[in-house]
Amino acid sequence: MIEHVAIIGAGFSGTLQAINLIRHEGPRATLIERAPVAGTGLAYGAAHPSHLLNVRAANMSAFPDDPGHLVRWLEARGVENAATSFVPRRVYGDYLREMLAQALAEHPERLRLVHAEVEDVTFDAQGATLQLSDGTLRADAAVLAVGNLPPHDPPGLDPARLSAARYKGDPWDPSVPEDLSDQDTVLVIGTGLTMVDVALLLEARGFTGKIVAVSRRGLLPRPHGPGQDWQKIAERPRTRASALLRAVRDRAEQVGWRNAVDELRPFTQPMWANASAAERARFLRHLRPWWDVHRHRLAPEVHARLQALIDRGQLEVLAAKTLGFEEGPDGIAVTLRPRGQDAPRTILAQRIVNCTGPLGDLNRTREPLLQRLAERGLIRPDAAHIGIDVDNQGQTIAADGRANANLYALGPMTRGAFWEIVAVPDIRTQTWAVARRLSNAHWVGGEGL
């Protein structure tokens, strides 16, 4: 019987896991976080005041069984038109921290927060032993809620050959916008949501120099449009990538591309689960960039600020492949091959920021805990090498193919099993379901029958 759960990571996933264990009257929990502040993670803790949520508040409640929770919280604090607002990410971080603080204060016997590094986890017949940076902890089960891992270094880039002042491998490094002149060029590798954050952060900090954003296809996230009602599809589309693409294009002509993408939400995880390994690989290779920019959108006001940067020539977006990086006294000479061209192009950048997106391949991670668990065969990469292999209940899969009954994983690192597991609406459902299982509440209502 599980009486004590250790949750590794107190970002969005870990915090909600702990809170949901209390809500489901489940086992007591110890929430372990290595950062000084718990409850927000990078997404909501490292944000600039100008960074907004990419989803309207009406869809950002922490709880799937209480969809109006966030809106009520905002309204109680005087936010007008809360449901339709794209609120600042820092405000959402306050929302999460307040819930965690309330849970800790009201249930001290059931929830404990520990600030420490989890260096290793071992298992025996009695449960798990967590080796912490300041001691050990025993638990009956452990949950990996490690969030997104740092991005991998771009092709042709060796960080050991570049100075830390010039190359920022972590886009959330506080020094990213510092010590730049208006004559400098900042090269941002990646053109997705993280690039948008960095570009707008530079603008907010008064940088008026050149920003160049580069990715293989040069695609930018699309903006949200006005909310609409429409007759949604009732059946799950086919999982073959080519057929899905045709179906979405046809629907886009009928109901608009935003609606055509949004109506897939109830079916995305089942479609991914039922797709073959070959179809998943085909989707990741050919369609993923297009899916990302249409599915994960920008608040309209954020898109307007980004477009203004482009219109006045401060931000240039390139479709190109990086070939080489050579640092000199005046900056880093970056050799690119523009898409569709044979002749390379060289850009001299005084700063490079890696915004290529989170790393998911366990074989390439530099996270010591995950390295140790993988080396001992307790966890393994999923077939697509985009995360940790788990079953449909969130139990990790060992190297021998067996599910670990007392080691779970949550959040973006389970994308190999669920694909759509990076946004709040998906993670809140996952943490709620895993908490119910750990609390034996999944039997209520016939869920386990």
Side-chain angles (χ1 to χ4, degrees):
M1 181 177 179
I2 296 178
E3 297 181 349
H4 180 208
V5 177
I7 304 169
I8 304 169
F12 180 79
S13 301
T15 295
L16 282 195
Q17 184 64 62
I19 292 172
N20 277 315
L21 286 174
I22 292 174
R23 296 178 75 229
H24 294 315
E25 299 183 352
R28 61 188 177 91
T30 299
L31 186 59
I32 309 165
E33 173 57 49
R34 61 188 175 190
V37 178
T40 60
L42 282 175
Y44 310 112
H48 185 269
S50 65
H51 288 158
L52 304 182
L53 293 177
N54 295 318
V55 178
R56 293 179 176 88
N59 295 323
M60 289 291 285
S61 168
F63 307 118
D65 55 334
D66 187 0
H69 188 266
L70 173 62
V71 171
R72 295 196 305 273
W73 185 89
L74 291 169
E75 290 175 340
R77 284 149 186 81
V79 177
E80 298 181 358
N81 302 315
T84 57
S85 297
F86 294 88
V87 300
R89 294 214 293 263
R90 281 193 175 181
V91 171
Y92 195 75
D94 293 340
Y95 167 66
L96 297 173
R97 278 195 299 269
E98 185 175 306
M99 285 192 297
L100 177 58
Q102 182 178 352
L104 289 165
E106 294 180 354
H107 304 278
E109 76 290 349
R110 301 203 34 220
L111 177 59
R112 184 167 66 110
L113 174 63
V114 173
H115 285 282
E117 180 90 27
V118 179
E119 297 176 345
D120 202 358
V121 184
T122 57
F123 295 88
D124 55 35
Q126 284 71 47
T129 299
L130 286 78
Q131 183 63 51
L132 308 182
S133 52
D134 59 357
T136 59
L137 175 72
R138 287 287 299 177
D140 300 305
V143 177
L144 297 171
V146 297
N148 280 312
L149 300 183
H152 57 78
D153 296 314
L157 188 150
D158 179 2
R161 298 183 59 190
L162 303 178
S163 65
R166 298 286 193 195
Y167 173 60
K168 304 298 180 181
D170 177 6
W172 305 110
D173 187 329
S175 67
V176 163
E178 295 178 354
D179 301 321
L180 291 168
S181 77
D182 293 337
Q183 287 70 50
D184 287 340
T185 294
V186 177
L187 178 68
V188 182
I189 303 177
T191 59
L193 294 175
T194 306
M195 179 280 293
V196 176
D197 284 346
V198 168
L200 297 187
L201 173 62
L202 290 168
E203 179 196 40
R205 294 288 291 270
F207 178 68
T208 59
K210 183 74 172 182
I211 305 170
V212 180
V214 59
S215 68
R216 296 289 294 271
R217 292 175 175 81
L219 299 176
L220 292 173
R222 274 45 170 180
H224 282 284
Q228 294 180 344
D229 290 323
W230 75 100
Q231 188 66 40
K232 301 177 179 66
I233 58 174
E235 296 183 359
R236 188 179 74 201
R238 296 173 60 187
T239 55
R240 187 171 178 83
S242 56
L244 176 62
L245 179 61
R246 286 194 298 271
V248 172
R249 284 176 171 170
D250 290 344
R251 283 293 288 168
E253 292 182 359
Q254 300 168 21
V255 300
W257 68 262
R258 293 177 180 86
N259 294 339
V261 172
D262 290 347
E263 68 185 4
L264 295 176
R265 287 298 305 280
F267 307 107
T268 306
Q269 288 191 355
M271 288 166 60
W272 182 261
N274 285 278
S276 66
E279 282 300 320
R280 292 183 184 184
R282 190 172 293 113
F283 173 87
L284 293 172
R285 186 168 59 251
H286 298 295
L287 294 182
R288 179 178 185 176
W290 299 94
W291 171 263
D292 285 346
V293 298
H294 288 86
R295 167 68 183 84
H296 303 291
R297 299 172 210 149
L298 298 172
E301 50 264 57
V302 171
H303 182 264
R305 288 178 59 196
L306 184 72
Q307 189 61 50
L309 284 175
I310 295 173
D311 291 344
R312 65 174 177 257
Q314 185 177 1
L315 172 61
E316 179 184 5
V317 180
L318 293 177
K321 177 182 179 181
T322 60
L323 301 177
F325 301 78
E326 190 68 36
E327 184 169 358
D330 298 324
I332 300 174
V334 183
T335 304
L336 308 169
R337 178 176 291 119
R339 190 174 181 87
Q341 300 181 25
D342 294 328
R345 172 181 173 182
T346 299
I347 294 175
L348 182 65
Q350 283 67 49
R351 179 150 301 157
I352 297 175
V353 186
N354 186 351
C355 294
T356 55
L359 171 66
D361 189 352
L362 284 183
N363 293 338
R364 301 176 64 184
T365 182
R366 293 188 291 269
E367 186 67 39
L369 174 61
L370 298 184
Q371 285 180 329
R372 293 186 182 106
L373 294 177
E375 287 169 358
R376 296 206 308 276
L378 286 171
I379 60 175
R380 70 180 186 183
D382 60 73
H385 287 266
I386 55 176
I388 299 171
D389 200 13
V390 297
D391 64 14
N392 59 7
Q393 299 172 7
Q395 293 177 326
T396 59
I397 306 296
D400 61 7
R402 291 184 293 183
N404 296 307
N406 51 5
L407 180 61
Y408 290 75
L410 296 171
M413 284 299 287
T414 63
R415 60 174 65 86
F418 304 109
W419 178 242
E420 280 284 277
I421 199 66
V422 299
V424 164
D426 306 300
I427 298 176
R428 71 185 175 199
T429 300
Q430 184 189 43
T431 58
W432 184 81
V434 171
R436 284 174 64 81
R437 176 162 294 278
L438 290 170
S439 306
N440 283 321
H442 62 293
W443 296 101
V444 178
E447 292 179 40
L449 300 179

